[in-house]
Amino acid sequence: MKLRFAALVLALAATALSAAAEPTRRPNVIVIIADDLGVGDVGAYGGPVARTPNIDALAAGGVRLTQGHVTAPVCSPSRVGLLSGRHNARYGFEHNPVGVRTEHLPVTEPTIAHRMKALGYSTGHIGKWHLGWRPELRPDRRGFDSYYGMASGSRYFPADAPGVERIAFPQLEAESAAAFGAIPDAVTMLRNGQPETVTTNLTDRFTDEAVNFVTAHRDRPFFLYLAYNAPHTPLEAEAARLDRFPADLRRDQRILAAMTAALDDGIGRISETLRAQGLERDTLVIFLSDNGCPRYLRGACFDGGLNGGKRHLLQGGVRVPFIVSWPAVLKAGRYDGVASSLDIAATALAAAGAETTPRLDGVDLVPFLTGRRPAAAHPDLYWRATPSRAVRSGDWKLILAETPQGARQTFLFNLRTDPGETRNLAKAQPAIAARLANKLDAWEQGLPAPAFEGRRETVTIAGQSVVQTF
């Protein structure tokens, strides 16, 4: 009798543990994307200046990915990969579009929002869009029930706002104005097509909208895509947040850290709202950046010891902070396997109960993050920013580029022994270089030509000058 009773207790305990590992309802899904946030700009990734307690708490309670990547080292094509779940190169979308263009994610291509809406989810977009701003390209035509945000860049405060410290980058701002138009002095957002003027910190305003969305939709599963533009230029911060950082810190680092603090404050408020509404356990939250830290900021941001940065196919451009939290399902920990922003759509759809995820290039990350599938989520990852191409296969990464004179240049790096990509092993390991080049060629079969040309700059990789397009 005692043995049968003990067995019953154990069975009940096992059932309780099993139930604790399963969501009690279809989860809400919140994807939070920062803009130009480097790996070293987050405390959980060892940032030397960052004070990001709320992002760090999300990482501590969730799964911190140490090898999370995006599909492009610049804003717009990176977002195409995330929102479609398919590689941006499939659409010839390899660079940031210049000016007003029609070459965006095709209107016939469903987004993650379309797919979540079809599953009965309420869908909302808040923040930076950067996938076309003509009426037929805006979020409400791409699967979102509501949107609040902007086409691309913006100031954080009106130009005449008092008490705001700013740093100008005249050359960068001139290049941006020539490509996209000058940033207006006022801060104006569109709410479902209607303009609204913002007079407070824009990062805080986006957080307000996110909190309101969560509260308004607490009784029905929702999908929220929250695309902060922080800490992208222009560098602007108010005194209250600047005062959190030492006065003797380099001025540009201090401003960027304050901007990142505003982003972190927002994530804290969203987390607290989820707790207050009883939604924290059953909400899948994914946090990442659209690309790495920009090198043109000359050290204002931090790359976490990686080489390159925004615009580069080196790890500093495509490896980003990447955190996944779902308390009902995922135990706290870290994941060292290779993962991609392509996986976000597949992961969200699987969590929402989709029976199939057709034509997606990503995978559901949950089996990998729980350890049910011990292999890396992706054996290979690919990038293309013509004329440059790259593949990562296990610990090896191959970059094929062109010199300013048009000659082909091959780079091979072992990311396990050389994460900074400083030692080119192409001549020492020709067989590995050839194998990876063959993988690239096979991946490119059937891909269209670039839909438009990118802007060009000369960069240095392992001591060699090559052309990078962005």
Side-chain angles (χ1 to χ4, degrees):
M1 178 67 72
K2 289 182 178 179
L3 289 175
R4 287 199 299 271
F5 179 75
L8 177 62
V9 170
L10 288 173
L12 291 172
T15 301
L17 287 172
S18 176
E22 296 295 332
T24 57
R25 49 169 276 179
R26 285 200 300 167
N28 308 304
V29 179
I30 303 178
V31 176
I32 305 173
I33 185 168
D35 200 342
D36 291 3
L37 186 72
V39 171
D41 292 322
V42 177
Y45 287 86
V49 171
R51 294 179 183 173
T52 53
N54 296 298
I55 298 174
D56 299 349
L58 192 70
V63 182
R64 180 173 65 89
L65 281 65
T66 63
Q67 298 293 325
H69 297 75
V70 288
T71 61
V74 286
C75 305
S76 190
S78 176
R79 291 159 199 265
V80 168
L82 188 160
L83 284 169
S84 69
R86 304 190 77 209
H87 202 290
N88 47 281
R90 291 189 180 276
Y91 313 108
F93 202 146
E94 302 179 14
H95 313 103
N96 271 343
V98 176
V100 179
R101 288 187 171 274
T102 60
E103 301 95 336
H104 294 87
L105 180 66
V107 295
T108 54
E109 185 67 29
T111 68
I112 182 176
H114 284 117
R115 299 184 191 276
M116 296 294 281
K117 188 173 180 177
L119 293 171
Y121 276 63
S122 299
T123 57
H125 167 268
I126 297 169
K128 176 177 174 177
W129 181 236
H130 214 172
L131 294 181
W133 208 235
R134 298 199 318 271
E136 68 272 22
L137 299 175
R138 291 177 186 168
D140 59 329
R141 301 288 290 274
R142 308 313 301 269
F144 290 96
D145 296 322
S146 62
Y147 75 95
Y148 178 89
M150 58 191 177
S152 179
S154 172
R155 298 181 184 276
Y156 294 86
F157 303 86
D160 58 357
V164 175
E165 190 165 348
R166 297 179 168 90
I167 292 181
F169 294 85
Q171 181 178 350
L172 177 65
E173 291 166 8
E175 291 173 357
S176 180
F180 309 111
I183 296 178
D185 288 346
V187 179
T188 304
M189 299 293 111
L190 283 189
R191 181 189 300 278
N192 303 322
Q194 300 302 311
E196 290 188 8
T197 300
V198 178
T199 57
T200 58
N201 187 329
L202 182 59
T203 302
D204 292 335
R205 189 73 197 89
F206 288 155
T207 299
D208 292 341
E209 290 294 321
V211 167
N212 292 341
F213 182 92
V214 169
T215 302
H217 294 87
R218 61 184 178 271
D219 295 325
R220 176 183 175 185
F222 60 79
F223 169 71
L224 173 61
Y225 174 59
L226 174 56
Y228 285 106
N229 59 318
H232 193 293
T233 55
L235 296 189
E236 299 181 336
E238 69 277 52
R241 287 194 170 100
L242 286 166
D243 288 346
R244 300 183 190 178
F245 299 90
D248 59 355
L249 188 64
R250 222 175 81 175
R251 182 166 174 258
D252 55 351
Q253 292 177 350
R254 190 167 182 244
I255 294 176
L256 192 136
M259 295 168 68
T260 304
L263 166 71
D264 184 77
D265 289 347
I267 291 170
R269 287 181 57 200
I270 294 164
S271 296
E272 178 54 38
T273 301
L274 291 173
R275 284 191 289 272
Q277 299 295 336
L279 301 175
E280 182 181 33
R281 172 178 167 78
D282 295 311
T283 300
L284 168 61
V285 178
I286 301 174
F287 172 81
L288 75 164
S289 179
D290 62 346
N291 49 248
C293 155
R295 280 295 175 94
Y296 54 70
L297 293 185
R298 303 185 202 70
C301 56
F302 295 91
D303 54 24
L306 303 177
N307 205 352
K310 180 180 181 179
R311 303 180 177 178
H312 298 178
L313 293 184
L314 292 163
Q315 289 294 92
V318 296
R319 208 190 98 194
V320 297
F322 200 139
I323 299 165
V324 181
S325 172
W326 187 5
V329 173
L330 299 177
K331 294 181 180 179
R334 58 183 275 175
Y335 177 67
D336 296 322
V338 175
S340 169
S341 56
L342 290 169
D343 302 327
I344 291 173
T347 302
L349 290 168
E355 294 183 0
T356 59
T357 52
R359 300 192 310 130
L360 297 183
D361 292 326
V363 299
D364 176 13
L365 283 174
V366 169
F368 299 93
L369 303 185
T370 58
R372 294 202 305 270
R373 296 186 64 181
H378 290 274
D380 304 315
L381 291 179
Y382 299 92
W383 297 270
R384 192 173 79 172
T386 303
S388 296
R389 303 177 294 155
V391 55
R392 174 174 180 170
S393 184
D395 291 331
W396 293 97
K397 183 170 175 185
L398 180 79
I399 300 177
L400 301 179
E402 286 185 4
T403 68
Q405 295 75 34
R408 174 169 164 159
Q409 186 69 43
T410 300
F411 301 93
L412 179 68
F413 303 106
N414 186 307
L415 298 180
R416 179 174 56 82
T417 60
D418 181 26
E421 294 169 293
T422 60
R423 299 187 297 275
N424 185 4
L425 302 177
K427 292 182 179 178
Q429 299 286 351
I432 296 176
R435 177 172 62 84
L436 268 59
N438 288 336
K439 283 178 175 284
L440 260 175
D441 290 341
W443 174 71
E444 287 192 291
Q445 293 297 315
L447 291 183
F452 50 91
E453 292 185 359
R455 291 175 287 168
R456 298 166 66 91
E457 67 175 352
T458 300
V459 301
T460 300
I461 299 179
Q464 299 291 320
S465 293
V466 297
V467 172
Q468 178 68 61
T469 54
F470 62 95

